[in-house]
Amino acid sequence: MTKDADLQMRKRNMKLFPAYKRISNDYLFYYTIDFLFLTQIKNISPADVVLSSSIKSLFGIFLQIPANIIVEFLGRRNSIILGNILNCIYMVMFMMCGNLFDLALAKFVSSLARSIKDIAEPTLLNASIPPSRYKSNIFAKIDAKGKTGYYIIGALSRMIAGFLFKINGYLPIICSLAVLVIVSIISTFYIEPIKTNKNENRKLYIKQQVKDIGEGFKFIITSERLKALILIAALIGSLLDILLNYQTSLWQEVKVPAHLIAFIAAVISLASAYASKKQQDFHNKFRNKTITIIGLMASITTIIAGIVGLKAEQYSFLLVIIGLSFIIARFAHGMFYTVIDRYFRNFTNKDIDTKIFAVKNLFVNIVSAIAGIMASFLLDKMSTAYCMIIVGTIFTIIYILMEKYMKTRVGLKPEQYSKQERKYDELKIG
């Protein structure tokens, strides 16, 4: 790539990424409505809906290596396009599903799309930013700009989706599909940042990629910093995934109408937008305790919402406390998904970044699957309120223990890490 072409690539991708992320970070017109759509329109039980999230995570476990090979073979740009097209297919399958088996097939497509995008998107941005001591801050700023916009647009889309759902349950899903089609078109405007000469023999190329992935995995396994980050990311991500369904289920349990649930969810999701915007201030204040505090915010408020939810149907004023608890949890959600990729891309280059994100996603899916199955089992046996108390308590204990484990491994100054830990750092010290 010539110097001019390289400059054009960096300008294009860095400018396009926030605009793209505003509508592609996740499904619009979908969350909260998806639970209502499946339970009220498709008559699938709440426990099965929670179980379907675990099924998606299970698929994600087996799809990480194939997804990494796809990204390395197709390139970051083409992989993003493919991921978005798969999301369009998922939304069509979601509308057509009639039982848990149909939903599981749809979740397979969604999981493949997410696995590809979770590797390709952050690594495309990472490869598009010029190496410098400020690269981490630039990455976080660009990513946060896009996610802040997404959370704001997401809040508006949830409000609209609530009213559309009242008219016809399929309308919000159709709107979500329309946005995904637009996202697929926008993603074609990226410029591939990493030019590679692929072996003409595809079997040999894939074999080499598998070998490279193996070497990348070995490095990650020997890195105390990455192991700690991967573990805490998986644990926090699992709770946040469970809450996506538990929160809606609790609102249903205390007899809040469907259109009001969507409206409340929209207002609450604005907390994620604020969190994303304030991620740098939050990080500066709490430093190496940032991730643990985010986890405890989510887990403790889950306990509070569960306790209050036991009596909320009799005493309506308690609904305000549930709402405030969910606002704090959504703040933690927005903060977590804004800062976590920043931490993972520190000390990385193009040789290792896709492998790191692939391993992270692999372990996130393993833990999410286990936690989701547990959450589904609990919801089948008891009320959502009791489930939230139990789940919140378990995760609170785990996060406190994790803080002790992470203390000497994450959030240190660059010079405090070993040369092995900074093996792939673009700005290595001597």
Side-chain angles (χ1 to χ4, degrees):
M1 189 181 291
T2 65
K3 188 175 181 180
D4 288 342
D6 183 69
L7 182 61
Q8 182 185 4
M9 175 276 292
R10 295 187 188 283
K11 276 186 170 181
R12 169 82 66 83
N13 290 352
M14 291 170 67
K15 184 177 180 181
L16 180 62
F17 194 87
Y20 163 81
K21 203 71 174 173
R22 286 186 188 108
I23 59 173
S24 72
N25 187 65
D26 215 331
Y27 304 127
L28 294 172
F29 299 97
Y30 178 81
Y31 289 108
T32 304
I33 292 300
D34 66 322
F35 189 91
L36 299 173
F37 178 83
L38 293 172
T39 55
Q40 296 185 17
I41 306 298
K42 297 296 184 175
N43 296 315
I44 298 175
S45 72
D48 281 348
V49 174
V50 175
L51 181 60
S52 71
S53 296
S54 298
I55 291 172
K56 180 180 178 180
S57 295
L58 283 171
F59 287 138
I61 296 169
F62 303 104
L63 289 171
Q64 286 310 307
I65 291 178
N68 194 83
I69 292 172
I70 288 171
V71 174
E72 292 289 355
F73 185 75
L74 293 181
R76 290 150 173 81
R77 172 187 176 273
N78 291 338
S79 296
I80 291 172
I81 295 170
L82 174 62
N84 288 320
I85 292 173
L86 288 172
N87 271 334
C88 293
I89 295 172
Y90 163 69
M91 206 56 67
V92 174
M93 294 176 70
F94 182 84
M95 282 190 283
M96 296 173 65
C97 71
N99 51 49
L100 181 59
F101 179 76
D102 293 342
L103 185 57
L105 289 178
K107 291 295 183 181
F108 173 83
V109 176
S110 177
S111 183
L112 179 58
R114 175 51 56 192
S115 297
I116 292 171
K117 282 164 62 70
D118 280 352
I119 296 171
E121 289 178 348
T123 56
L124 179 137
L125 176 59
N126 190 46
S128 300
I129 302 172
S132 79
R133 61 181 296 188
Y134 303 108
K135 185 171 181 176
S136 178
N137 289 337
I138 295 170
F139 180 98
K141 185 176 180 180
I142 293 173
D143 192 44
K145 186 177 180 181
K147 286 179 179 175
T148 300
Y150 164 77
Y151 291 127
I152 294 172
I153 295 172
L156 294 173
S157 78
R158 288 187 193 214
M159 290 182 187
I160 296 169
F163 291 108
L164 291 177
F165 184 82
K166 197 174 180 182
I167 298 170
N168 186 301
Y170 285 85
L171 287 177
I173 312 302
I174 293 171
C175 289
S176 186
L177 174 59
V179 172
L180 289 170
V181 171
I182 295 170
V183 166
S184 300
I185 295 170
I186 292 174
S187 61
T188 63
F189 290 97
Y190 279 122
I191 298 174
E192 175 58 46
I194 306 295
K195 301 295 183 181
T196 57
N197 294 318
K198 296 182 175 59
N199 196 313
E200 291 181 3
N201 188 318
R202 295 193 174 194
K203 289 184 178 180
L204 289 177
Y205 178 76
I206 292 173
K207 187 177 180 180
Q208 181 60 44
Q209 285 304 314
V210 172
K211 182 180 177 182
D212 290 345
I213 290 170
E215 291 178 359
F217 277 27
K218 287 179 184 177
F219 166 72
I220 292 163
I221 290 170
T222 59
S223 170
E224 292 298 322
R225 171 183 169 273
L226 285 175
K227 283 191 290 187
L229 273 176
I230 287 169
L231 185 56
I232 194 64
L235 291 168
I236 295 177
S238 298
L239 176 59
L240 296 177
D241 281 348
I242 291 170
L243 289 180
L244 287 175
N245 289 318
Y246 266 17
Q247 289 178 353
T248 306
S249 184
L250 184 63
W251 286 128
Q252 279 191 322
E253 220 170 68
V254 295
K255 301 295 188 296
V256 176
H259 66 283
L260 283 181
I261 291 175
F263 181 81
I264 293 168
V267 174
I268 288 173
S269 67
L270 289 174
S272 291
Y274 181 76
S276 185
K277 187 176 181 180
K278 292 294 183 179
Q279 57 86 23
Q280 186 64 51
D281 294 337
F282 195 87
H283 170 75
N284 290 341
K285 183 173 182 179
F286 296 107
R287 293 293 176 181
N288 60 349
K289 295 182 182 293
T290 298
I291 296 294
T292 305
I293 290 173
I294 289 171
L296 289 173
M297 287 171 68
S299 63
I300 292 171
T301 53
T302 298
I303 298 171
I304 294 170
I307 293 172
V308 174
L310 295 173
K311 296 293 182 180
E313 193 176 347
Q314 294 98 311
Y315 305 100
S316 56
F317 72 90
L318 293 177
L319 295 175
V320 176
I321 299 176
I322 294 177
L324 290 173
S325 297
F326 288 173
I327 286 173
I328 296 172
R330 287 301 298 182
F331 180 92
H333 185 281
M335 187 63 66
F336 173 74
Y337 284 108
T338 303
V339 303
I340 195 64
D341 282 352
R342 167 186 182 165
Y343 293 160
F344 273 103
R345 68 136 307 276
N346 284 342
F347 312 145
T348 67
N349 61 22
K350 63 183 178 63
D351 296 322
I352 196 67
D353 57 1
T354 58
K355 284 80 175 177
I356 289 175
F357 282 100
V359 176
K360 181 203 79 169
N361 296 336
L362 173 65
F363 279 92
V364 166
N365 282 308
I366 290 172
V367 178
S368 291
I370 295 170
I373 291 170
M374 178 190 74
S376 174
F377 173 79
L378 289 174
L379 194 58
D380 197 41
K381 302 296 181 184
M382 60 188 75
S383 70
T384 309
Y386 281 115
C387 291
M388 294 184 80
I389 294 170
I390 294 170
V391 169
T393 301
I394 292 171
F395 276 102
T396 297
I397 295 170
I398 290 172
Y399 296 154
I400 292 171
L401 295 175
M402 275 301 301
E403 164 62 19
K404 297 182 182 298
Y405 176 72
M406 293 175 62
K407 194 170 184 180
T408 58
R409 294 171 172 86
V410 178
L412 308 179
K413 294 178 180 179
E415 59 271 18
Q416 291 179 293
Y417 289 108
S418 67
K419 288 185 177 180
Q420 175 64 19
E421 289 279 3
R422 299 195 64 186
K423 180 179 178 181
Y424 293 95
D425 187 4
E426 293 175 320
L427 300 171
K428 271 193 287 194
I429 301 173

